[in-house]
Amino acid sequence: MSGVLVLAEARRGELRAISLELIGAALALSEQGAGPVSVAIIGDDGEVHAQLLGPAGVQDVLVVPAPQPHFEAHVTQAAVEALIERRRPAVVLAGHTIDSLGFAPAVAARLRLGFASNVTGADWGEDGLLARRGAYGEKLIAELDFPDKETVLLLLRPGAFAPVEGAPAASAERVELDLEGRARTEHREMRDPPAGDVDITKSDFLLSIGRGVEDEEQIAELEQLAERMGATLSASRPLVDAGLISAERQVGQSGRTVTPKVYLALGISGAVQHLAGMSKAQTIIAVNSDPEAPIFSVAQYGAVADLFEVAAELERQFG
Ligand code: FAD
């Protein structure tokens, strides 16, 4: 058993960002000795996506046509099982996404693979694969090994691994599998979430507020400040739970994982569940009146200060 098989994901004709993160993680494992990287894309438009799935280091791209245009969990399960049995990889990487959760646990159970979901770190060493994920409500980071497992399937948390730049595949091999009649569900329609809300995962600059901010008036002022600074407002969970800010703006384990260039945290303590969603930001700046606040352990820049004084100074600078 050798090599890493990446299961790329597409939806509505677009390659999903997680695919390039999976390839980034696979190339890192390959460099550590896990073997060559292959990327598989299952679907009726795989050839189009192969144009982005072959960055340097990827050995081959496998395009598996599917009998229906939209993702179907049982079809994908059958295809992935067939690919694993043919290729016998040591590691299979998929996203910790709604699609993968529909088939990956079933594949792991049927083929008796090692398995871990919501993985935030992975390394290949002398004893094989080591994966990291949160445990006890993300209060601990658990290290998992997979003794006696020849193949391990990991679901990687979106945003936790650095993506590679997409590039055309040198060779894309069409793999015909008998997938007719496998579908057990019927795709009816795609429904978009209500328009008008923000997507904080797309912002390069997040101004994020926590329980240090207490009411709607303060939030409105900080939202204006964010706009003036070219930032998007995001928040920790207590503000969402209190109904002060919409759930789309929540950063963290039960919110969004974000990787902006700049994350400015005002009045956020830095609980593990919050850090799980933002610790991979390029630059973290924390303002907190408590010098012991854990957010300072991940921040490159920090000020032990009252957030409203800092906000007032920023108003003056950007006003
Ligand atoms: P607090 O921990 O209360 O911190 C407020 C901070 O503001 C303090 O550090 C304080 O010193 C500082 N402060 C107060 N006033 C000022 C001031 N005037 N100026 C400067 N600093 C000030 N949390 C999330 O954020 N996202 C999640 O997705 C998430 N998921 C969770 C999932 C589970 C299963 C569980 C159990 C918890 C989850 N939580 C999540 C909650 C998490 O444990 C923390 O309770 C939460 O992150 C704390 O938010 P906070 O930092 O805003 O509030």
Side-chain angles (χ1 to χ4, degrees):
M1 305 287 165
S2 169
V4 186
L5 175 65
V6 168
L7 304 176
E9 238 184 71
R11 185 179 293 162
R12 295 171 124 177
E14 301 257 331
L15 190 68
R16 304 197 76 203
I18 183 69
S19 303
L20 298 175
E21 296 169 23
L22 295 171
I23 296 175
L27 292 174
L29 288 172
S30 177
E31 269 174 31
Q32 293 171 339
V37 174
S38 303
V39 180
I41 176 97
I42 299 158
D44 70 338
D45 50 3
E47 258 107 14
V48 178
H49 303 306
Q51 295 308 311
L52 287 171
L53 294 175
V58 171
Q59 180 180 265
D60 54 356
V61 174
L62 311 171
V63 175
V64 183
Q68 78 298 320
H70 294 288
F71 168 80
E72 205 285 333
H74 306 91
V75 168
T76 306
Q77 180 186 339
V80 170
E81 286 176 8
L83 287 175
I84 292 173
E85 278 169 345
R86 282 186 188 191
R87 312 278 298 200
R88 306 249 160 224
V91 184
V92 182
L93 298 181
H96 185 78
T97 61
I98 193 77
D99 284 3
S100 297
L101 287 167
F103 69 86
V107 171
R110 271 175 53 88
L111 302 187
R112 297 182 181 277
L113 311 180
F115 178 74
S117 59
N118 213 3
V119 168
T120 54
D123 282 301
W124 185 266
E126 271 177 20
D127 299 326
L129 188 67
L130 193 74
R132 285 181 291 284
R133 53 162 295 162
Y136 297 104
E138 304 265 340
K139 287 201 167 8
L140 296 177
I141 295 173
E143 288 196 333
L144 309 174
D145 61 359
F146 307 89
D148 307 328
K149 290 294 182 189
E150 293 183 332
T151 300
V152 178
L153 196 168
L154 299 183
L155 301 186
L156 305 191
R157 180 189 288 186
F161 293 81
V164 286
E165 197 75 34
S171 72
E173 182 191 337
R174 206 175 153 89
V175 182
E176 302 284 351
L177 299 173
D178 181 15
L179 301 172
E180 285 298 337
R182 297 292 190 143
R184 283 158 58 188
T185 60
E186 183 195 347
H187 178 91
R188 302 293 290 271
E189 63 173 320
M190 290 278 187
R191 282 198 195 158
D192 291 314
D197 271 313
V198 288
D199 182 354
I200 59 170
T201 64
K202 300 267 159 62
S203 177
D204 277 345
F205 181 9
L206 288 175
L207 187 159
S208 208
I209 55 178
R211 197 150 32 194
V213 178
E214 284 168 356
D215 59 45
E216 280 169 348
E217 204 178 311
Q218 292 173 343
I219 292 176
E221 280 168 17
L222 288 163
E223 187 164 14
Q224 275 179 14
L225 173 64
E227 249 172 55
R228 236 171 269 153
M229 294 173 74
T232 304
L233 192 75
S234 56
S236 65
R237 179 163 157 172
L239 296 190
V240 176
D241 288 348
L244 291 169
I245 211 159
S246 68
E248 285 78 13
R249 293 184 192 256
Q250 181 185 321
V251 173
Q253 180 194 327
S254 50
R256 304 285 160 99
T257 301
V258 295
T259 50
K261 290 189 176 141
V262 178
Y263 189 84
L264 171 57
L266 301 181
I268 294 178
S269 60
V272 277
Q273 293 89 355
H274 189 81
L275 300 186
M278 47 63 74
S279 59
K280 293 278 183 342
Q282 276 177 35
T283 302
I284 298 169
I285 306 166
V287 177
N288 198 302
S289 48
D290 175 6
E292 303 294 327
I295 189 85
F296 289 125
S297 66
V298 296
Q300 284 85 13
Y301 302 94
V304 177
D306 183 280
L307 78 92
F308 298 104
E309 283 178 19
V310 173
E313 186 53 39
L314 288 170
E315 285 279 355
R316 276 191 285 280
Q317 300 283 333
F318 288 87

